[in-house]
Amino acid sequence: MSEEWLLKEGYVDNIDNYDKMSVQEKWYILAMVANLYYNGNLTQSQIANRIFTSRSKVSRLLKEAREMGLVEIYIREPWERELWYEQKMKEQFDLTMIRVMKNKKTDKTDELARLGEVAAYYLDSVVKKDVVIGVSWGNTLYRIVNHISKMNRKNIPITVVPIMGAGHVRNSEQDVLDLARNLAQAYGGKYKYLYAPLFVNNEEIRKSLVQEEHIREVLDMARNAQIMLSSVGSVADRSWSNYLRADVWKTLESKGAVGYIGGHFYDINGCEIRTQLQSRMIGVELEDMIRCRDMICVAYGAVKADAVLGALRGKFVNTLIIDESCAEKLMEKLQ
């Protein structure tokens, strides 16, 4: 019904008696308010003035219109999703959110860029003012931050901190220091550096470093970050082959390690692998990731399936963003 008809019939004059109206009368009001807001592009305040009610009342009416099905909001995301895998994995694991990107069978560089775009859109939807975001490092994280940096710059006062010490990465842009700075600048926020390597020579050096005032402050912020953003590494892929010695890899494999996140290695069941690396590592603990409100894991490729499965079983992540090939391989292992 048109706004003029509702005015003529007296519905708007009696909007304060909305709760006493019949279902059909309410339907008329809700349709009018929704039309003014979604099609007429009026603000909630403008609608409130127009129908002689409060803005909060208009907000409640719009919410009711969505709940009753008068308004359906469909977001056309710029990528195709594998909804079957998403549903099956939500049934299997305690996930807050999952996105499985459909592979287009293009080259790996293009696929990784698209996965970074998917993750960037999600991160953009959950970032709020004054939130603390903890980040790790690597190629996948670089793709995400790179896409956010290319989007419209924002003015959201956030703080970005590393969740682990720096590593010897092949590309300096993939290091945690650069990633923390670039992500913070993209959102118009600030960042903190963790001036420490991921692994030190012995436990005594680690104990000394984590007591240093600045390092302690940044680690405390990272442990209590509301959002953490990371990928998982695959032991099979040995993406840290330039970082750990061959004998260390052999020890990890002999203990059943399949993946690592934030510098922590774990097996297919999500149990942390205990080695001397833990006593020499500077970064947040797995328990901190489990406690995090939104621990986001982004991973690409079938080779990451074991690592993702272990992370899910260990409950290290609650938001998962992967591609179709990774999801397919992971589901095979559950059969």
Side-chain angles (χ1 to χ4, degrees):
M1 295 296 173
S2 68
E3 182 184 355
E4 291 76 12
W5 185 87
L6 291 170
L7 286 167
K8 180 181 177 181
E9 294 297 317
Y11 286 103
V12 173
D13 292 338
N14 297 320
I15 199 165
D16 290 337
N17 297 319
Y18 175 81
D19 292 336
K20 297 179 181 180
M21 290 181 179
S22 67
V23 173
Q24 187 65 52
E25 290 171 332
K26 288 181 178 179
W27 195 281
Y28 290 152
I29 292 293
L30 293 174
M32 177 195 68
V33 171
N35 189 57
L36 290 172
Y37 186 72
Y38 291 104
N39 292 329
N41 295 320
L42 271 64
T43 65
Q44 294 182 18
S45 296
Q46 289 172 326
I47 297 171
N49 292 333
R50 195 157 176 165
I51 62 176
F52 311 108
T53 190
S54 65
R55 181 188 175 281
S56 60
K57 179 74 171 181
V58 171
S59 179
R60 289 195 298 272
L61 292 173
L62 289 170
K63 180 181 179 183
E64 186 175 343
R66 292 194 300 273
E67 291 173 348
M68 290 182 64
L70 272 75
V71 174
E72 294 182 359
I73 299 175
Y74 176 74
I75 300 173
R76 187 176 296 278
E77 295 172 324
W79 52 83
E80 292 183 71
R81 290 163 50 188
E82 285 290 349
L83 300 179
W84 185 86
Y85 284 127
E86 291 181 7
Q87 180 60 37
K88 289 297 180 182
M89 293 184 70
K90 287 206 78 170
E91 292 171 0
Q92 291 276 348
F93 304 103
D94 185 19
L95 287 167
T96 302
M97 198 284 294
I98 179 170
R99 289 288 184 271
V100 177
M101 179 194 76
K102 186 176 182 64
N103 292 121
K104 289 189 174 181
K105 311 304 180 185
T106 55
D107 63 81
K108 182 178 177 180
T109 300
D110 181 62
E111 296 270 81
L112 273 169
R114 289 177 56 242
L115 190 66
E117 182 181 1
V118 176
Y121 268 82
Y122 174 74
L123 186 62
D124 223 29
S125 72
V126 296
V127 167
K128 311 294 181 186
K129 63 178 293 189
D130 300 325
V131 75
V132 176
I133 303 176
V135 295
S136 65
W137 40 265
N139 186 39
T140 304
L141 271 289
Y142 167 73
R143 302 284 180 178
I144 299 168
V145 174
N146 188 49
H147 185 80
I148 293 174
S149 297
K150 288 180 178 178
M151 296 165 64
N152 293 331
R153 292 297 178 105
K154 302 168 182 63
N155 185 24
I156 306 175
I158 65 168
T159 303
V160 182
V161 296
I163 63 172
M164 55 198 289
H168 300 119
V169 295
R170 295 185 178 93
N171 186 342
S172 62
E173 291 179 324
Q174 298 174 14
D175 186 55
V176 69
L177 301 182
D178 280 353
L179 290 175
R181 182 188 67 242
N182 293 342
L183 182 60
Q185 290 177 344
Y187 280 108
K190 57 185 180 180
Y191 55 93
K192 298 280 188 178
Y193 278 162
L194 181 58
Y195 293 109
L198 176 58
F199 296 116
V200 293
N201 288 335
N202 55 60
E203 187 175 3
E204 288 69 31
I205 294 176
R206 176 190 176 277
K207 287 180 178 178
S208 175
L209 279 175
V210 297
Q211 291 304 314
E212 194 276 326
E213 183 178 0
H214 177 78
I215 293 177
R216 186 176 69 248
E217 175 193 351
V218 175
L219 283 175
D220 285 343
M221 290 184 69
R223 293 187 185 103
N224 294 289
Q226 294 93 340
I227 299 173
M228 291 188 191
L229 179 63
S230 182
S231 185
V232 289
S234 167
V235 171
D237 192 32
R238 291 198 177 190
S239 54
W240 278 4
S241 58
N242 66 320
Y243 195 59
L244 297 177
R245 300 191 314 270
D247 61 311
V248 176
W249 283 113
K250 184 176 291 187
T251 299
L252 289 166
E253 289 177 328
S254 70
K255 291 177 177 289
V258 297
Y260 46 96
I261 186 170
H264 297 277
F265 289 82
Y266 53 87
D267 64 21
I268 196 70
N269 294 311
C271 298
E272 186 171 10
I273 303 295
R274 292 291 176 180
T275 68
Q276 291 184 352
L277 289 174
Q278 273 61 49
S279 65
R280 300 192 287 111
M281 196 199 91
I282 296 177
V284 303
E285 300 296 330
L286 286 175
E287 290 75 14
D288 300 318
M289 300 180 198
I290 294 171
R291 286 191 298 104
C292 182
R293 186 184 73 195
D294 195 356
M295 177 63 195
I296 307 166
C297 174
V298 188
Y300 172 82
V303 71
K304 295 286 186 75
D306 281 351
V308 172
L309 180 56
L312 290 172
R313 286 174 170 169
K315 300 184 184 298
F316 309 146
V317 303
N318 49 35
T319 292
L320 181 64
I321 301 172
I322 57 177
D323 70 308
E324 176 187 0
S325 63
C326 183
E328 182 179 17
K329 189 69 173 179
L330 192 153
M331 292 301 297
E332 287 177 5
K333 294 178 177 294
L334 294 175
Q335 295 176 358

PDB file of all heavy atoms in Angstrom, residues 227-252:
ATOM      1  N   ILE A 227      40.358 -10.075  17.982  1.00  0.00           N
ATOM      2  CA  ILE A 227      40.434 -10.760  16.692  1.00  0.00           C
ATOM      3  C   ILE A 227      41.880 -11.177  16.459  1.00  0.00           C
ATOM      4  O   ILE A 227      42.806 -10.403  16.725  1.00  0.00           O
ATOM      5  CB  ILE A 227      39.978  -9.832  15.542  1.00  0.00           C
ATOM      6  CG1 ILE A 227      38.523  -9.397  15.733  1.00  0.00           C
ATOM      7  CG2 ILE A 227      40.144 -10.525  14.188  1.00  0.00           C
ATOM      8  CD1 ILE A 227      38.071  -8.344  14.731  1.00  0.00           C
ATOM      9  N   MET A 228      42.074 -12.403  15.999  1.00  0.00           N
ATOM     10  CA  MET A 228      43.387 -12.851  15.557  1.00  0.00           C
ATOM     11  C   MET A 228      43.263 -13.349  14.121  1.00  0.00           C
ATOM     12  O   MET A 228      42.267 -13.979  13.766  1.00  0.00           O
ATOM     13  CB  MET A 228      43.932 -13.963  16.448  1.00  0.00           C
ATOM     14  CG  MET A 228      44.298 -13.533  17.853  1.00  0.00           C
ATOM     15  SD  MET A 228      45.144 -14.867  18.763  1.00  0.00           S
ATOM     16  CE  MET A 228      45.143 -14.186  20.434  1.00  0.00           C
ATOM     17  N   LEU A 229      44.273 -13.067  13.337  1.00  0.00           N
ATOM     18  CA  LEU A 229      44.271 -13.434  11.926  1.00  0.00           C
ATOM     19  C   LEU A 229      45.542 -14.215  11.616  1.00  0.00           C
ATOM     20  O   LEU A 229      46.647 -13.720  11.831  1.00  0.00           O
ATOM     21  CB  LEU A 229      44.202 -12.172  11.059  1.00  0.00           C
ATOM     22  CG  LEU A 229      44.224 -12.352   9.540  1.00  0.00           C
ATOM     23  CD1 LEU A 229      42.997 -13.130   9.076  1.00  0.00           C
ATOM     24  CD2 LEU A 229      44.279 -10.989   8.852  1.00  0.00           C
ATOM     25  N   SER A 230      45.362 -15.443  11.128  1.00  0.00           N
ATOM     26  CA  SER A 230      46.518 -16.283  10.869  1.00  0.00           C
ATOM     27  C   SER A 230      46.221 -17.261   9.743  1.00  0.00           C
ATOM     28  O   SER A 230      45.075 -17.401   9.310  1.00  0.00           O
ATOM     29  CB  SER A 230      46.903 -17.061  12.140  1.00  0.00           C
ATOM     30  OG  SER A 230      48.054 -17.857  11.922  1.00  0.00           O
ATOM     31  N   SER A 231      47.248 -17.938   9.293  1.00  0.00           N
ATOM     32  CA  SER A 231      47.088 -19.085   8.423  1.00  0.00           C
ATOM     33  C   SER A 231      47.623 -20.297   9.182  1.00  0.00           C
ATOM     34  O   SER A 231      47.956 -20.188  10.363  1.00  0.00           O
ATOM     35  CB  SER A 231      47.852 -18.887   7.114  1.00  0.00           C
ATOM     36  OG  SER A 231      47.605 -19.971   6.223  1.00  0.00           O
ATOM     37  N   VAL A 232      47.671 -21.444   8.524  1.00  0.00           N
ATOM     38  CA  VAL A 232      48.324 -22.614   9.108  1.00  0.00           C
ATOM     39  C   VAL A 232      49.400 -23.077   8.144  1.00  0.00           C
ATOM     40  O   VAL A 232      49.243 -22.995   6.925  1.00  0.00           O
ATOM     41  CB  VAL A 232      47.327 -23.770   9.374  1.00  0.00           C
ATOM     42  CG1 VAL A 232      46.403 -23.429  10.523  1.00  0.00           C
ATOM     43  CG2 VAL A 232      46.538 -24.119   8.125  1.00  0.00           C
ATOM     44  N   GLY A 233      50.485 -23.548   8.705  1.00  0.00           N
ATOM     45  CA  GLY A 233      51.536 -24.116   7.882  1.00  0.00           C
ATOM     46  C   GLY A 233      51.410 -25.622   7.831  1.00  0.00           C
ATOM     47  O   GLY A 233      50.877 -26.242   8.761  1.00  0.00           O
ATOM     48  N   SER A 234      51.865 -26.212   6.767  1.00  0.00           N
ATOM     49  CA  SER A 234      51.802 -27.662   6.599  1.00  0.00           C
ATOM     50  C   SER A 234      53.194 -28.265   6.761  1.00  0.00           C
ATOM     51  O   SER A 234      54.150 -27.817   6.110  1.00  0.00           O
ATOM     52  CB  SER A 234      51.249 -28.006   5.212  1.00  0.00           C
ATOM     53  OG  SER A 234      51.449 -29.366   4.919  1.00  0.00           O
ATOM     54  N   VAL A 235      53.301 -29.266   7.627  1.00  0.00           N
ATOM     55  CA  VAL A 235      54.570 -29.960   7.788  1.00  0.00           C
ATOM     56  C   VAL A 235      54.930 -30.683   6.494  1.00  0.00           C
ATOM     57  O   VAL A 235      56.091 -30.734   6.092  1.00  0.00           O
ATOM     58  CB  VAL A 235      54.506 -30.940   8.977  1.00  0.00           C
ATOM     59  CG1 VAL A 235      55.747 -31.830   9.023  1.00  0.00           C
ATOM     60  CG2 VAL A 235      54.375 -30.163  10.289  1.00  0.00           C
ATOM     61  N   ALA A 236      53.925 -31.229   5.822  1.00  0.00           N
ATOM     62  CA  ALA A 236      54.170 -31.915   4.550  1.00  0.00           C
ATOM     63  C   ALA A 236      54.733 -30.954   3.498  1.00  0.00           C
ATOM     64  O   ALA A 236      55.596 -31.315   2.689  1.00  0.00           O
ATOM     65  CB  ALA A 236      52.879 -32.552   4.041  1.00  0.00           C
ATOM     66  N   ASP A 237      54.248 -29.717   3.523  1.00  0.00           N
ATOM     67  CA  ASP A 237      54.669 -28.711   2.556  1.00  0.00           C
ATOM     68  C   ASP A 237      56.018 -28.087   2.924  1.00  0.00           C
ATOM     69  O   ASP A 237      56.730 -27.559   2.070  1.00  0.00           O
ATOM     70  CB  ASP A 237      53.596 -27.618   2.459  1.00  0.00           C
ATOM     71  CG  ASP A 237      53.810 -26.687   1.288  1.00  0.00           C
ATOM     72  OD1 ASP A 237      54.325 -27.145   0.263  1.00  0.00           O
ATOM     73  OD2 ASP A 237      53.461 -25.506   1.406  1.00  0.00           O
ATOM     74  N   ARG A 238      56.331 -28.140   4.228  1.00  0.00           N
ATOM     75  CA  ARG A 238      57.572 -27.559   4.753  1.00  0.00           C
ATOM     76  C   ARG A 238      57.795 -26.123   4.274  1.00  0.00           C
ATOM     77  O   ARG A 238      58.857 -25.768   3.732  1.00  0.00           O
ATOM     78  CB  ARG A 238      58.784 -28.424   4.376  1.00  0.00           C
ATOM     79  CG  ARG A 238      58.800 -29.764   5.090  1.00  0.00           C
ATOM     80  CD  ARG A 238      60.165 -30.394   5.063  1.00  0.00           C
ATOM     81  NE  ARG A 238      60.195 -31.639   5.811  1.00  0.00           N
ATOM     82  CZ  ARG A 238      61.298 -32.305   6.111  1.00  0.00           C
ATOM     83  NH1 ARG A 238      62.463 -31.846   5.710  1.00  0.00           N
ATOM     84  NH2 ARG A 238      61.242 -33.429   6.790  1.00  0.00           N
ATOM     85  N   SER A 239      56.766 -25.297   4.473  1.00  0.00           N
ATOM     86  CA  SER A 239      56.869 -23.903   4.038  1.00  0.00           C
ATOM     87  C   SER A 239      57.892 -23.120   4.859  1.00  0.00           C
ATOM     88  O   SER A 239      58.258 -22.014   4.494  1.00  0.00           O
ATOM     89  CB  SER A 239      55.497 -23.229   4.114  1.00  0.00           C
ATOM     90  OG  SER A 239      54.936 -23.370   5.405  1.00  0.00           O
ATOM     91  N   TRP A 240      58.350 -23.685   5.972  1.00  0.00           N
ATOM     92  CA  TRP A 240      59.420 -23.062   6.756  1.00  0.00           C
ATOM     93  C   TRP A 240      60.743 -23.769   6.527  1.00  0.00           C
ATOM     94  O   TRP A 240      61.609 -23.802   7.397  1.00  0.00           O
ATOM     95  CB  TRP A 240      59.075 -23.103   8.247  1.00  0.00           C
ATOM     96  CG  TRP A 240      58.168 -22.012   8.698  1.00  0.00           C
ATOM     97  CD1 TRP A 240      57.580 -21.055   7.930  1.00  0.00           C
ATOM     98  CD2 TRP A 240      57.748 -21.768  10.036  1.00  0.00           C
ATOM     99  NE1 TRP A 240      56.799 -20.233   8.693  1.00  0.00           N
ATOM    100  CE2 TRP A 240      56.893 -20.650  10.000  1.00  0.00           C
ATOM    101  CE3 TRP A 240      57.988 -22.378  11.247  1.00  0.00           C
ATOM    102  CZ2 TRP A 240      56.278 -20.127  11.138  1.00  0.00           C
ATOM    103  CZ3 TRP A 240      57.392 -21.865  12.390  1.00  0.00           C
ATOM    104  CH2 TRP A 240      56.551 -20.748  12.336  1.00  0.00           C
ATOM    105  N   SER A 241      60.925 -24.348   5.346  1.00  0.00           N
ATOM    106  CA  SER A 241      62.132 -25.126   5.076  1.00  0.00           C
ATOM    107  C   SER A 241      63.401 -24.283   5.190  1.00  0.00           C
ATOM    108  O   SER A 241      64.485 -24.805   5.474  1.00  0.00           O
ATOM    109  CB  SER A 241      62.055 -25.767   3.686  1.00  0.00           C
ATOM    110  OG  SER A 241      61.890 -24.773   2.680  1.00  0.00           O
ATOM    111  N   ASN A 242      63.287 -22.981   4.968  1.00  0.00           N
ATOM    112  CA  ASN A 242      64.448 -22.094   5.080  1.00  0.00           C
ATOM    113  C   ASN A 242      64.631 -21.577   6.496  1.00  0.00           C
ATOM    114  O   ASN A 242      65.541 -20.788   6.754  1.00  0.00           O
ATOM    115  CB  ASN A 242      64.297 -20.910   4.117  1.00  0.00           C
ATOM    116  CG  ASN A 242      63.137 -20.004   4.500  1.00  0.00           C
ATOM    117  OD1 ASN A 242      62.079 -20.498   4.898  1.00  0.00           O
ATOM    118  ND2 ASN A 242      63.326 -18.695   4.377  1.00  0.00           N
ATOM    119  N   TYR A 243      63.772 -22.024   7.409  1.00  0.00           N
ATOM    120  CA  TYR A 243      63.754 -21.449   8.749  1.00  0.00           C
ATOM    121  C   TYR A 243      64.151 -22.472   9.821  1.00  0.00           C
ATOM    122  O   TYR A 243      64.748 -22.120  10.831  1.00  0.00           O
ATOM    123  CB  TYR A 243      62.352 -20.892   9.032  1.00  0.00           C
ATOM    124  CG  TYR A 243      62.289 -19.958  10.211  1.00  0.00           C
ATOM    125  CD1 TYR A 243      63.062 -18.799  10.237  1.00  0.00           C
ATOM    126  CD2 TYR A 243      61.474 -20.229  11.291  1.00  0.00           C
ATOM    127  CE1 TYR A 243      63.012 -17.939  11.318  1.00  0.00           C
ATOM    128  CE2 TYR A 243      61.410 -19.371  12.376  1.00  0.00           C
ATOM    129  CZ  TYR A 243      62.182 -18.239  12.384  1.00  0.00           C
ATOM    130  OH  TYR A 243      62.134 -17.391  13.457  1.00  0.00           O
ATOM    131  N   LEU A 244      63.794 -23.747   9.606  1.00  0.00           N
ATOM    132  CA  LEU A 244      64.123 -24.798  10.567  1.00  0.00           C
ATOM    133  C   LEU A 244      65.061 -25.817   9.917  1.00  0.00           C
ATOM    134  O   LEU A 244      64.938 -26.120   8.733  1.00  0.00           O
ATOM    135  CB  LEU A 244      62.846 -25.507  11.047  1.00  0.00           C
ATOM    136  CG  LEU A 244      61.825 -24.651  11.806  1.00  0.00           C
ATOM    137  CD1 LEU A 244      60.596 -25.480  12.142  1.00  0.00           C
ATOM    138  CD2 LEU A 244      62.437 -24.063  13.071  1.00  0.00           C
ATOM    139  N   ARG A 245      65.964 -26.354  10.722  1.00  0.00           N
ATOM    140  CA  ARG A 245      66.930 -27.330  10.212  1.00  0.00           C
ATOM    141  C   ARG A 245      66.245 -28.649   9.874  1.00  0.00           C
ATOM    142  O   ARG A 245      65.179 -28.968  10.395  1.00  0.00           O
ATOM    143  CB  ARG A 245      68.025 -27.571  11.244  1.00  0.00           C
ATOM    144  CG  ARG A 245      68.825 -26.339  11.638  1.00  0.00           C
ATOM    145  CD  ARG A 245      70.056 -26.747  12.462  1.00  0.00           C
ATOM    146  NE  ARG A 245      69.717 -27.710  13.504  1.00  0.00           N
ATOM    147  CZ  ARG A 245      69.341 -27.368  14.741  1.00  0.00           C
ATOM    148  NH1 ARG A 245      69.254 -26.072  15.063  1.00  0.00           N
ATOM    149  NH2 ARG A 245      69.068 -28.293  15.634  1.00  0.00           N
ATOM    150  N   ALA A 246      66.909 -29.452   9.030  1.00  0.00           N
ATOM    151  CA  ALA A 246      66.351 -30.724   8.593  1.00  0.00           C
ATOM    152  C   ALA A 246      66.111 -31.671   9.763  1.00  0.00           C
ATOM    153  O   ALA A 246      65.114 -32.399   9.798  1.00  0.00           O
ATOM    154  CB  ALA A 246      67.281 -31.377   7.560  1.00  0.00           C
ATOM    155  N   ASP A 247      67.021 -31.671  10.773  1.00  0.00           N
ATOM    156  CA  ASP A 247      66.850 -32.567  11.906  1.00  0.00           C
ATOM    157  C   ASP A 247      65.650 -32.175  12.763  1.00  0.00           C
ATOM    158  O   ASP A 247      65.007 -33.024  13.380  1.00  0.00           O
ATOM    159  CB  ASP A 247      68.120 -32.610  12.761  1.00  0.00           C
ATOM    160  CG  ASP A 247      68.467 -31.236  13.328  1.00  0.00           C
ATOM    161  OD1 ASP A 247      68.487 -30.261  12.547  1.00  0.00           O
ATOM    162  OD2 ASP A 247      68.710 -31.145  14.534  1.00  0.00           O
ATOM    163  N   VAL A 248      65.331 -30.878  12.775  1.00  0.00           N
ATOM    164  CA  VAL A 248      64.151 -30.415  13.524  1.00  0.00           C
ATOM    165  C   VAL A 248      62.882 -30.911  12.843  1.00  0.00           C
ATOM    166  O   VAL A 248      61.947 -31.389  13.502  1.00  0.00           O
ATOM    167  CB  VAL A 248      64.137 -28.873  13.629  1.00  0.00           C
ATOM    168  CG1 VAL A 248      62.841 -28.396  14.318  1.00  0.00           C
ATOM    169  CG2 VAL A 248      65.354 -28.378  14.390  1.00  0.00           C
ATOM    170  N   TRP A 249      62.859 -30.829  11.507  1.00  0.00           N
ATOM    171  CA  TRP A 249      61.703 -31.336  10.760  1.00  0.00           C
ATOM    172  C   TRP A 249      61.530 -32.838  10.992  1.00  0.00           C
ATOM    173  O   TRP A 249      60.412 -33.331  11.167  1.00  0.00           O
ATOM    174  CB  TRP A 249      61.884 -31.070   9.266  1.00  0.00           C
ATOM    175  CG  TRP A 249      61.628 -29.647   8.849  1.00  0.00           C
ATOM    176  CD1 TRP A 249      62.542 -28.759   8.383  1.00  0.00           C
ATOM    177  CD2 TRP A 249      60.378 -28.960   8.871  1.00  0.00           C
ATOM    178  NE1 TRP A 249      61.948 -27.553   8.121  1.00  0.00           N
ATOM    179  CE2 TRP A 249      60.617 -27.654   8.404  1.00  0.00           C
ATOM    180  CE3 TRP A 249      59.090 -29.317   9.234  1.00  0.00           C
ATOM    181  CZ2 TRP A 249      59.620 -26.700   8.289  1.00  0.00           C
ATOM    182  CZ3 TRP A 249      58.071 -28.365   9.124  1.00  0.00           C
ATOM    183  CH2 TRP A 249      58.340 -27.090   8.655  1.00  0.00           C
ATOM    184  N   LYS A 250      62.635 -33.555  11.022  1.00  0.00           N
ATOM    185  CA  LYS A 250      62.559 -35.007  11.220  1.00  0.00           C
ATOM    186  C   LYS A 250      61.979 -35.324  12.597  1.00  0.00           C
ATOM    187  O   LYS A 250      61.155 -36.241  12.746  1.00  0.00           O
ATOM    188  CB  LYS A 250      63.953 -35.618  11.071  1.00  0.00           C
ATOM    189  CG  LYS A 250      63.970 -37.146  11.165  1.00  0.00           C
ATOM    190  CD  LYS A 250      65.354 -37.716  10.904  1.00  0.00           C
ATOM    191  CE  LYS A 250      65.748 -37.528   9.458  1.00  0.00           C
ATOM    192  NZ  LYS A 250      67.031 -38.240   9.141  1.00  0.00           N
ATOM    193  N   THR A 251      62.381 -34.566  13.608  1.00  0.00           N
ATOM    194  CA  THR A 251      61.850 -34.773  14.960  1.00  0.00           C
ATOM    195  C   THR A 251      60.356 -34.486  15.012  1.00  0.00           C
ATOM    196  O   THR A 251      59.583 -35.251  15.603  1.00  0.00           O
ATOM    197  CB  THR A 251      62.582 -33.866  15.972  1.00  0.00           C
ATOM    198  OG1 THR A 251      63.973 -34.199  15.981  1.00  0.00           O
ATOM    199  CG2 THR A 251      62.004 -34.027  17.375  1.00  0.00           C
ATOM    200  N   LEU A 252      59.951 -33.404  14.382  1.00  0.00           N
ATOM    201  CA  LEU A 252      58.536 -33.034  14.372  1.00  0.00           C
ATOM    202  C   LEU A 252      57.694 -34.101  13.675  1.00  0.00           C
ATOM    203  O   LEU A 252      56.624 -34.486  14.156  1.00  0.00           O
ATOM    204  CB  LEU A 252      58.351 -31.676  13.683  1.00  0.00           C
ATOM    205  CG  LEU A 252      58.863 -30.459  14.454  1.00  0.00           C
ATOM    206  CD1 LEU A 252      58.942 -29.231  13.538  1.00  0.00           C
ATOM    207  CD2 LEU A 252      57.940 -30.161  15.644  1.00  0.00           C
TER     208      LEU A 252
END
